[in-house]
Amino acid sequence: MSKPLFADVILPLPLRDKFTYLVPASFEPNMKLGVRVIVQFGARKYFSALVYRLHQEPPSGDFDLKSIDAILDKEPIVNQAQIIAWEWVADYYCCSLGEVFKAALPSALKLESQSNVSFNPNFNMEEELTGEEEALLLMLQGRGQANIKEINQFLGRNSSYATLKVLLEKNAILIEEKLKDSYKPKTIGVVKLADQFSTPKAIEAAFEGIGRAKKQRELLEYFLAETVFSKESQNSLTKKELLEQTGISDAVLKAVVDKGILMVEDVEIGRLIQNHTEEQFLYELNEAQEKALGQVKDGFQSKRPVLLHGVTSSGKTEVYIKLIEEVLAQNKQVLYLVPEIGLTSQLNNRLKRAFGDRAGIYHSKFNDAERVEIWFNILEDKEDAYQVVLGARSAVFLPFKKLGLIIVDEEHENSYKQFDPAPRYHARDMAVVLGQIHKAPVLLGTATPSFESYFNARLKKYALVELKERFQGIELPEIVVADIRKATRQRQMKSLLTPELYDEVKHALEKEEQVILFQNRRGFAPYMQCTSCGWIPKCQNCDVSLTYHKYRSSLVCHYCGHTTSLPGTCGECHSDDIRTKGYGTEQIEEELGILFPEARVARMDLDTTRAKRSFDQLIYKFETKQIDILVGTQMVTKGLDFEHVRVVGILNADQMLNYPDFRSFERSFQLMAQVSGRAGRKNKRGKVVIQTSQPTHEVLAEVASNSFDLLFNRQMLERKLFRYPPYFRLVKIVVKHKNRERLDLGANQLAAALRKLFVNQVLGPEYPVISRVQTWYQKEIWLKLDKNKQLSPAKKQLMDVIGQIKGLPNNGGLIIYVDVDPM
Ligand code: ADP
Ligand code: ZN
Ligand code: ZN
């Protein structure tokens, strides 16, 4: 008899890396690295785990060795490059491979005991089934659905995965498919000429068909003038536009459609915007872009990541598109990362224009079925697989086989960093590692580099390419700093607007140009306060004041979602004079309605974009000038490209500048420069008004003169002096407990132990700005590690100490997690 085979598997758990199981002899022929198996873990829990290593060394120690219950896949569902990347993530960010596995796979690929199983209504029960299979299906039909535990009970077994696997293959059941129906892409009616009317002759015939129906004729004339006979010769109009512009009723359109002259199609909004022509084309680059393209390629030759520092609207995206084209010609894949899901649809249109269906989106808001499909398309490199994947953070985990280029757009954005749960990875930094693994060039692009990347460029670790001119030589917007205090003193404020901003908005509206107003607070007012005693309503679970949301007429905690009604009287002194303080986007929207009653105002923040397509819809409406003023939080600052925005207003720069964080000036600059960059992108120079009560603040001067280098040099002196990144490596250790005293005790023990190991490198423990979130008190300890020293040993020591502290008898209920390179 041959020696038994063992499999080390990765479980989707925050536990140590690998667990060993016996491979039953009957499974051996089908066993492969990278397939999923069902294993039992703990007394009665089952998981799908990933086979990581196969070997013949019996595990040491006398524990009860379990066998693998079932093999789920014929072929591996991950590739070797992915595993290498996962190992890097686990090692660098101090987490388990299981946590990375969990983050990487679409959840449909991670069967767990809680997974819901239901009968597939399309399944034909006449098919050949075993008695057990039939019984199970009848049960599921009857109950609607059951979870795996219930199914185990029903079958009287510890594991029913093998049976479920067979039924899954027969398409008889569905697992966790409830997401599927919730995905309905938002569509819009688009009017086109019917195919047979595409020649001038045929069009004449069409008019004959209409005869003397005046309205129908008018409609068709307008349609033709705007489409085939227009300069852009696009082939379609939205139904909405057609009806609105002509003032003709839907019934008339229907009549023309019934005559077979025009047709109406439902098209997804995302695909529509650039739908001027079906043909794919690339713009010619101008001289500056051409030069930058050459330099980027030279940078790639030197095997370093390239940082493309190009002012807003310099045409970076078009440079990316040229590079992508060349990579596709070599039959390789491209990963194009953006910091926010919201950015994907506008960019997707630009990519579709260039690459048609070879480009597509992948992100976590897609439903599971779609994500699994994209996963396998890429893994197996199928005919219709995306060659260019546009995605947010999680796209770094896709099973790429032959990456030829990675683009990280808006590389400075901190939403690239996963905050919670583990793995707390930075997708930009992981992109650089992926580039090494795949030997693929990496391009980081931004108008406002992160200090980390700019520093790397200074050190020549990255090649630096600059694009200093806006496309078509449009000047960067003129930036005016407006003094809120002075205007208030002189009683010149128009509600929340300084006279400077008010005038600009007014002029823009008169000229039918658009306006973006930025305020990084959603809700109506950040807090309420009693005028007699100063009492502020706070969240019962968190150490934060509650935000007033007028449209819901309630107070909401932005950290835990806790909602209460408005207090009628003060919680301390029972006075009934409680007023709102400060203002958020909701209030600005309301005030604008009073100041500019004619203007069409819309708001873009978390509250208005929760629904799946609402973000895209807002953008679409703004692009098509159905909105005059867009009020928003940082959502409006990111790389969006609007043609008609003339004026950008930043309502209050003070909050950002005064935020207590070593990165607050860097962030303020980025945010203000980015939001300013939305103004005057085409045709004409834009204008930006920054409202502040610190008009002489040096960061404002630097934003106004676009002096990134000045800010960088000045701030870097401080970073060095106070030992912050990018000179030092920060590791944040967060300690949480529901009980404040127990937290203090545990955090102090941990800090003391760390101080012995990392002499002079430990800060804290201290309460962060918000000391209690969702009923958990929290404290932070910061390690400032020397960047030149090896990191792995330090991290190992750190994790060991954390393990010891957690194990102390007084520390039950203590949560400790580690965040490497926190943002
Ligand atoms: P960035 O990414 O640097 O902010 P974009 O790539 O969005 O800039 O370019 C700004 C605008 O100019 C876009 O609307 C884009 O379509 C247009 N544009 C840029 N380069 C070209 C080009 N070479 N030909 C035609 N239009 C261009
Ligand atoms: Zn009071
Ligand atoms: Zn709360």
Side-chain angles (χ1 to χ4, degrees), residues 274 281-286 289 308 310-321 336 346-347 350 353 409-410 446-447 467 469-472 639-643 674 677-678 681-682:
Q274 293 283 344
F281 68 94
L282 271 64
Y283 290 121
E284 292 277 317
L285 296 186
N286 67 17
Q289 287 171 317
L308 175 57
V311 295
T312 51
S313 203
S314 55
K316 295 183 288 296
T317 315
E318 300 304 328
V319 175
Y320 306 155
I321 287 175
Y336 189 143
Q346 220 190 30
L347 267 175
R350 290 174 76 171
R353 181 250 294 154
D409 200 9
E410 313 293 347
T446 175
L467 250 178
E469 300 281 302
R470 281 191 148 186
F471 180 68
Q472 286 185 331
L640 294 164
D641 184 31
F642 298 117
E643 216 171 305
Q674 288 290 344
R678 304 311 116 209
R681 291 174 68 86
K682 283 225 177 124

Side-chain angles (χ1 to χ4, degrees), residues 539 541-542 557 560:
C539 176
N541 307 320
C542 315
C557 171
C560 73

Side-chain angles (χ1 to χ4, degrees), residues 207 213-223 246 248:
F207 276 108
K214 190 163 151 270
K215 287 276 175 195
Q216 295 182 22
R217 179 175 283 268
E218 222 176 273
L219 184 91
L220 186 60
E221 274 168 3
Y222 179 86
F223 175 84
T246 55
I248 292 172

Side-chain angles (χ1 to χ4, degrees), residues 35 96 122 133 205 237 264 306 374 388 417 552 567 588 671 696 769 771:
V35 298
S96 76
N122 298 326
E133 286 166 1
L237 279 188
V264 180
V306 175
I374 295 174
V388 187
K417 179 80 182 343
R552 289 200 270 170
I588 298 167
L671 215 58
T696 56
V769 179
S771 61

Side-chain angles (χ1 to χ4, degrees), residues 457-717:
R458 287 263 171 105
L459 297 176
K460 307 260 185 274
K461 281 191 196 164
Y462 294 175
L464 180 67
V465 177
E466 292 186 304
L467 250 178
K468 294 190 164 158
E469 300 281 302
R470 281 191 148 186
F471 180 68
Q472 286 185 331
I474 307 279
E475 279 181 89
L476 281 170
E478 181 190 349
I479 297 182
V480 181
V481 175
D483 187 343
I484 300 177
R485 281 205 196 151
K486 188 168 140 229
T488 311
R489 226 172 22 238
Q490 301 177 343
R491 298 183 181 280
Q492 287 179 335
M493 288 295 283
K494 300 242 193 257
S495 164
L496 307 169
L497 307 187
T498 52
E500 290 92 334
L501 184 53
Y502 177 84
D503 288 346
E504 290 301 335
V505 175
K506 193 156 164 276
H507 287 146
L509 293 175
E510 279 162 10
K511 293 195 204 127
E512 295 188 6
E513 294 166 339
Q514 288 174 305
V515 176
I516 290 180
L517 296 182
F518 166 74
Q519 165 72 339
N520 218 2
R521 291 249 162 110
R522 63 191 170 92
F524 190 86
Y527 65 103
M528 296 190 94
Q529 191 169 29
C530 167
T531 47
S532 1
C533 77
W535 174 78
I536 295 171
K538 287 199 161 183
C539 176
Q540 61 182 36
N541 307 320
C542 315
D543 175 33
V544 290
S545 51
L546 294 168
T547 300
Y548 173 44
H549 285 250
K550 191 169 181 182
Y551 76 106
R552 289 200 270 170
S553 115
S554 52
L555 292 173
V556 181
C557 171
H558 284 180
Y559 284 81
C560 73
H562 174 70
T563 304
T564 58
S565 53
L566 295 182
T569 56
C570 170
E572 292 284 336
C573 73
H574 305 293
S575 149
D576 58 6
D577 192 9
I578 304 171
R579 299 201 186 157
T580 62
K581 293 280 169 174
Y583 51 90
T585 45
E586 210 186 293
Q587 187 168 356
I588 298 167
E589 185 187 20
E590 188 177 291
E591 294 290 322
L592 289 170
I594 301 166
L595 288 174
F596 305 106
E598 313 281 275
R600 293 162 300 175
V601 182
R603 173 159 59 94
M604 184 191 274
D605 56 27
L606 207 62
D607 299 310
T608 61
T609 56
R610 265 181 239 276
K612 172 145 182 166
R613 285 268 162 170
S614 47
F615 188 90
D616 296 354
Q617 256 169 325
L618 268 173
I619 297 215
Y620 178 72
K621 278 187 156 176
F622 196 57
E623 274 181 336
T624 51
K625 288 187 101 173
Q626 301 174 54
I627 296 170
D628 302 312
I629 308 180
L630 186 64
V631 182
T633 55
Q634 31 79 30
M635 282 186 187
V636 299
T637 66
K638 322 248 157 129
L640 294 164
D641 184 31
F642 298 117
E643 216 171 305
H644 310 285
V645 177
R646 186 69 47 225
V647 175
V648 164
I650 296 171
L651 273 101
N652 189 339
D654 301 340
Q655 291 152 6
M656 326 177 218
L657 291 169
N658 300 341
Y659 190 77
D661 183 280
F662 73 93
R663 282 198 179 89
S664 65
F665 288 1
E666 178 186 352
R667 287 263 164 74
S668 304
F669 184 95
Q670 287 164 350
L671 215 58
M672 286 190 268
Q674 288 290 344
V675 67
S676 303
R678 304 311 116 209
R681 291 174 68 86
K682 283 225 177 124
N683 313 322
K684 217 168 102 189
R685 193 177 184 197
K687 189 137 184 180
V688 177
V689 178
I690 304 179
Q691 302 194 146
T692 175
S693 52
Q694 311 161 75
T696 56
H697 202 294
E698 49 200 341
V699 174
L700 295 179
E702 284 150 0
V703 172
S705 57
N706 192 33
S707 311
F708 178 79
D709 279 338
L710 264 184
L711 171 89
F712 179 79
N713 292 336
R714 196 163 47 80
Q715 282 281 294
M716 287 295 274
L717 290 176

Side-chain angles (χ1 to χ4, degrees), residues 63 79 81 98 100 128 180 211 223 269 307 332 418 441 601 604 692 715 718-719 735 752 770 810:
F63 63 94
N79 63 37
V100 186
E128 203 172 303
K180 193 165 192 170
F223 175 84
I269 283 192
L307 175 64
K332 288 190 178 161
Q418 165 133 328
V601 182
M604 184 191 274
T692 175
Q715 282 281 294
E718 284 190 22
R719 298 276 178 101
V735 191
I770 293 159
N810 62 296

